[in-house]
Amino acid sequence: MSNITISLPDGSTRELPAESTSLDLAKSIGSGLKKAAVAAVVDGVETDLTVPLADGAEVAIITNSTDEGRHVLRHSTSHVLAQAVTLLFPGAKYAIGPAIENGFYYDFELPGDKTFSDDDLGRIEAKMREIIKENQPFVRSELSPPEARELFSDQPYKVEIIDRVDSADADTEDTGEVGDGGAISAYRNTDEFVDMCMGPHVPSTGKLAFFKLQKVAGAYWRGNEKGPMLQRIYGTAWESKQALAAHLHQLEEAAKRDHRKLATELDLLSFPSALGGGLAVWHPKGAIIRKLMEDYSRLRHERGGYEFVYTPHLANASLFETSGHLDFYADGMYPPMEMDNGTYYMKPMNCPMHCLIFSSRQRSYRELPLRLFELGTVYRYERAGTLHGLMRIRGFTQDDSHIYCTKEQLADEIASLLDFVLSVLRAFGFEEFTFNLSTKDPEKYVGTDEIWTEATAALAEALDRHGLEYSLKEGDAAFYGPKIDIDVRDAIGRSWQLSTIQADFSLPERFGLEYVGADNARHRPIMLHRALFGSIERFFGVLIEHYAGAFPTWLAPLQVRVLPVATAHEEYAAEVAKGLVAVGARVDVGKADDGLGKRIRNAKLEKLPYILVVGDDDVAANTVGVNPRGGEVERDVSLAAFIEQFSNEISDAEVAALES
RNA sequence: GCCCAGAUAGCUCAGUCGGUAGAGCAACGCAUUCGUAAUGCGUAGGUCAGGGGUUCAAUUCCCCUUCUGGGCUCCA
């Protein structure tokens, strides 16, 4: 039998005996590679390691520490989960079980409407470890739809998938489960357990080891709210014990930053159940930060050519009929209030009211762009199950602006908006951004194709002008116009969608907005919606998590605490505080009624930027001991020097923020 | 809205196989006056989320409501 020649990604070639597989190839390169191999890309197609290679094939080995490799591990682990569940819960139906970011899940229906409990996870995990220990092979086969129906005749969800693949209009959305072009692939682990799947999979379950089942949850079959509710089990899987431990550690770190936990610990705000779900009250320390955020926002908007407006929280139903909100979003609005002269609603958005300001008198092209700004509080009836701390809340305040401009002004306006947005976000410590440009949904839009094309081009041009890379989200725009969404990356790498810049062709039409042009004719303005923080509540939540509650000095509710070593030093401590207050510091003095170590510990737990300790030496020499957050203690610093350094730090932050 | 799990002192949690509850921290009081992450002793603090049912007796068992958590769906 002759040899075959395989080419590798680096351009080199390798001779192997005929019928060799990718696994043989990996082995021939090195035992380390063989061990790390989980699948292969053969001529551009992800393939099992155990498939014999054709002469001349181009092969790249997928190893377990790559994203693709982990995906294979996770998907394979989900099959093991399904097998374990079918063994422990006879009669369980398994639906779909894909790999997802950092893990996998599998959806089941248990006989007799039974559900999983958290205790079941341990049993299932133990069974999975048995399966892994048995080192069962993943054996691929290809089936015709009728064969597949026969094989999965007692698995209704699989049959439904087969039917969908088999039908002409097969949607390809939840592939990973199925095959293409009418053929259906399946992977068998034991005589009893086989699952439909495109693969690839690891050669055998022994390749899987480092996983953990995490939680049970309900999930609708095919994500359809009207469909049956299945039982989902989530898990995570990794290539090594270290990688699994690192991931679990990362989850713990994220949990420590949870804004709901920190908001309670730092006494920033609370969600009293007496208020009702999704509604928060701001305590003094949270309110200081909010005020600083708002003051800063107002300052920037003032300098940015915005005009401030105020509008009420309630409006007559007719306003929301005009704006279209009642047509499109009535479900998301608080129910109507019947009053003597009509029906009223809490406002879900500020834009209709801003349009009323625009239309309150005749407008000239000389006034455009007209930028109306408001910290506008809106109320949305978010469904009970979707509420989540400050991130999803029913009453919140937007740093909302509506910009009315001409078509010609659009590109410049958006370009300068991008500068403005990024500069403000940077001031709050965000450095990394990603941009999404959402385009027309051909199924659902208003306005002419021409104006969509123009506006979309204006948005894209603005991004290009700044050299910003962006992802195109085709069909993701709202019905009224294209938009740019801006995501920020936080200190531990998580991404949060904050800012949005949206063109709107609908509202100017609905409100009949017009301006008189240079040509003395009436024209319709284009409207931009934009928010930088998005919602102040949500932005604050993100800030808490970004900084893990340790706010930068300019935002810290309390910036300095002066601790006298003993009662005798309290008078001097008060003097020190007075000096700091004179330069605008937020400072307090801790009484010497507890051990110094204890008082320092408490101040550290409050995450204060500076603790100043003053004792005999300091009283004598007019100095302080400086204990900065995250830094080294420095003794005998002259008070004047500290005050100067502190006030420089604060004004530097302000200047940097304004100039960035 | 749907599935699952919860709600006990200000916080974190234990407990009651049905007989009205306990710890640590915090608070308050007394003593201690201390040089960089927890001084000691003591006191007080709870309609066991709310309502209904079963029971001689409910914080405990059952039902409903509210709120919370994890998901799903939704998110102008």
Side-chain angles (χ1 to χ4, degrees), chain A residues 212-276:
Chain A
K212 183 171 168 45
L213 297 185
Q214 292 169 298
K215 53 203 170 195
V216 295
Y220 296 109
W221 167 234
R222 300 189 60 204
N224 177 2
E225 214 176 338
K226 306 243 165 17
M229 176 65 69
L230 303 177
Q231 295 289 309
R232 176 170 296 179
I233 295 179
Y234 283 94
T236 185
W238 297 82
E239 71 276 14
S240 66
K241 193 175 173 180
Q242 292 79 358
L244 174 63
H247 176 65
L248 296 177
H249 182 252
Q250 159 91 1
L251 290 180
E252 278 172 29
E253 287 303 303
K256 278 189 207 158
R257 289 170 178 258
D258 190 310
H259 71 278
R260 294 162 301 187
K261 183 176 143 73
L262 287 170
T264 304
E265 285 174 8
L266 301 174
D267 197 15
L268 303 175
L269 45 82
S270 59
F271 299 88
S273 56
L275 248 191

Side-chain angles (χ1 to χ4, degrees), chain A residues 328-391:
Chain A
F328 292 103
Y329 307 113
D331 287 351
M333 292 169 64
Y334 269 88
M337 283 165 275
E338 300 298 337
M339 293 158 68
D340 9 296
N341 58 344
T343 305
Y344 284 75
Y345 285 90
M346 304 299 290
K347 66 173 170 181
M349 291 188 86
N350 303 301
C351 38
M353 299 189 180
H354 291 183
C355 286
L356 294 180
I357 293 169
F358 184 94
S359 65
S360 63
R361 62 172 169 79
Q362 197 172 57
R363 299 286 175 181
S364 154
Y365 74 97
R366 295 174 194 274
E367 293 179 75
L368 307 185
L370 180 68
R371 307 182 186 95
L372 302 182
F373 173 77
E374 175 177 16
L375 292 169
T377 303
V378 298
Y379 297 89
R380 297 182 182 176
Y381 184 74
E382 302 285 359
R383 295 163 87 184
T386 64
L387 299 173
H388 181 87
L390 289 170
M391 302 305 181

